Amino acid sequence: MWLVFFTLVLSLLLLDLGIFHRKAKAIGVNESLITSAFYIAMGLAFGCWVWYQLGSQAGSEYFTGFLVEKTLALDNIFVISLIFTYFAIPAQHQHRVLFWGILGVIVLRAIMIGVGAALVAEFAWVLYIFAAFLIATGIKMLLVEEQSPDIGANRFLRFIQNRFRVTPHLHEERFLVRLPNPQTGRAELWATPLLLALVFIEVVDLIFAVDSVPAIFAITTDPFIVYTSNIFAILGLRALYFALAAVIDRFRYLKHALALVLVFIGSKIFIADLMGWEKFPASISLGVTLALITSGVVYSIIRVRQQRFSHSKQSSTNGPKEAGC
């Protein structure tokens, strides 16, 4: 099953960069939605295969993990948009950055999940720490208003700019270029803003993985389910970015739903112990997670439409009036 998974993922990545996106171009909304739907379909089809091969328990855990990871991954889109805006990365080069970013994520998540699986296997109480962390994170997301990160004031960015040679402008789609040193005149290797954007996206994923990895381990401790649901949820993120980057603020209440999901996932470990269950029922876990996330999406859409209607009504009321005779 591992061989099937890696063969499928490698084939998808080769098709993506080697055939469909060989030349740098801006990704349109329609193409983005179609590609994203394809990746989601592949992730769901793989889940059906897991269900068939390993049974309903493993299948339900995969779909729950996939749903939670997909929703957590949506949180990345806003930050990625800020990174591209700050470094002035044009639309035709963004796909290249995201593609190599995904490759880095596949490796980094494998390391983090491998370490997590080893810890859980050796020390069972680590799961309770993960669960408590998820509950605390969910409550914090509900109570504390999140602020937009200031990339320009980031210490990591200043460290890179002070320690490495970075060109002020892009050099087409290259991450590294050889340019003469202003002081010595010798040709030396310089990093471009494209490489800085890639590094920042990898760092952002590491930060988000702090929530993501404990969340999936609270659902299942099977490394195969943990890793495959993680990767399939992330694979379609690149395509989804181009469709949602401009409208992600419309799903502002999805964050509240995600906070409740994290609290629920963390709580179910303690609930299972109190009830004397070996495991919290996977079907109930999947149903509650799906209901919470769906409610967040629907409520966000309704609230945005209400606010637009209220704004348009107020504009028409306060519009210019004709002067009387």
Side-chain angles (χ1 to χ4, degrees):
M1 292 183 74
W2 279 108
L3 181 61
V4 170
F5 166 71
F6 282 117
T7 301
L8 182 59
V9 170
L10 183 60
S11 300
L12 289 172
L13 292 174
L14 289 174
L15 280 172
D16 197 338
L17 192 65
I19 296 177
F20 297 122
H21 298 104
R22 291 180 65 183
K23 297 181 180 178
K25 65 173 183 176
I27 309 296
V29 174
N30 288 338
E31 181 183 351
S32 174
L33 289 173
I34 292 171
T35 307
S36 180
F38 169 74
Y39 274 113
I40 291 173
M42 291 298 296
L44 295 176
F46 188 84
C48 292
W49 183 65
V50 169
W51 192 303
Y52 174 77
Q53 291 286 337
L54 302 179
S56 60
Q57 175 77 17
S60 296
E61 289 172 349
Y62 171 89
F63 284 119
T64 304
F66 178 79
L67 188 60
V68 171
E69 293 300 324
K70 196 74 174 175
T71 310
L72 282 168
L74 290 177
D75 227 14
N76 289 11
I77 290 178
F78 175 70
V79 181
I80 291 172
S81 177
L82 289 178
I83 292 171
F84 282 149
T85 301
Y86 179 81
F87 290 109
I89 307 298
Q92 63 267 28
H93 297 321
Q94 290 176 5
H95 182 274
R96 176 176 169 81
V97 176
L98 290 173
F99 177 86
W100 289 106
I102 290 295
L103 288 183
V105 167
I106 290 173
V107 175
L108 290 174
R109 289 292 173 98
I111 295 170
M112 294 185 72
I113 289 170
V115 171
L119 285 173
V120 170
E122 189 69 26
F123 310 104
W125 48 265
V126 170
L127 271 182
Y128 295 98
I129 295 178
F130 284 170
F133 175 77
L134 290 175
I135 294 171
T137 301
I139 293 172
K140 181 182 176 183
M141 287 171 66
L142 285 171
L143 299 179
V144 179
E145 186 176 352
E146 190 176 28
Q147 297 180 344
S148 299
D150 185 359
I151 296 175
N154 189 277
R155 292 181 180 178
F156 181 63
L157 175 62
R158 291 204 298 266
F159 173 82
I160 292 178
Q161 290 174 333
N162 292 334
R163 299 293 190 281
F164 301 95
R165 293 180 292 272
V166 181
T167 63
H169 306 292
L170 291 171
H171 289 260
E172 297 179 346
E173 57 179 20
R174 284 182 280 181
F175 292 117
L176 296 166
V177 291
R178 282 198 172 275
L179 294 173
N181 188 312
Q183 297 176 346
T184 64
R186 292 184 302 176
E188 296 178 345
L189 208 58
W190 291 65
T192 69
L194 206 66
L195 180 62
L196 291 191
L198 174 61
V199 170
F200 258 77
I201 287 174
E202 297 293 355
V203 171
V204 165
D205 180 74
L206 277 176
I207 295 170
F208 277 99
V210 173
D211 292 335
S212 173
V213 173
I216 189 65
F217 271 109
I219 296 168
T220 177
T221 55
D222 184 337
F224 181 78
I225 304 297
V226 170
Y227 189 63
T228 55
S229 61
N230 239 271
I231 299 305
F232 270 112
I234 294 168
L235 275 178
L237 179 64
R238 292 170 300 113
L240 202 58
Y241 165 80
F242 294 101
L244 294 184
V247 297
I248 193 65
D249 60 310
R250 297 183 187 179
F251 299 97
R252 65 192 70 169
Y253 295 100
L254 183 60
K255 198 170 201 65
H256 297 85
L258 179 58
L260 292 175
V261 168
L262 293 180
V263 172
F264 165 70
I265 289 173
S267 300
K268 72 187 187 74
I269 291 180
F270 298 106
I271 293 171
D273 277 357
L274 289 173
M275 299 298 292
W277 299 337
E278 184 180 350
K279 264 190 173 184
F280 193 93
S283 56
I284 297 176
S285 182
L286 176 59
V288 172
T289 303
L290 184 60
L292 287 172
I293 292 174
T294 304
S295 299
V297 172
V298 172
Y299 185 69
S300 295
I301 294 172
I302 292 172
R303 288 290 295 168
V304 167
R305 287 183 178 179
Q306 287 177 343
Q307 289 169 2
R308 282 184 175 179
F309 177 75
S310 176
H311 180 72
S312 61
K313 188 176 180 180
Q314 187 177 3
S315 298
S316 61
T317 304
N318 299 333
K321 296 181 180 180
E322 293 184 5
C325 297

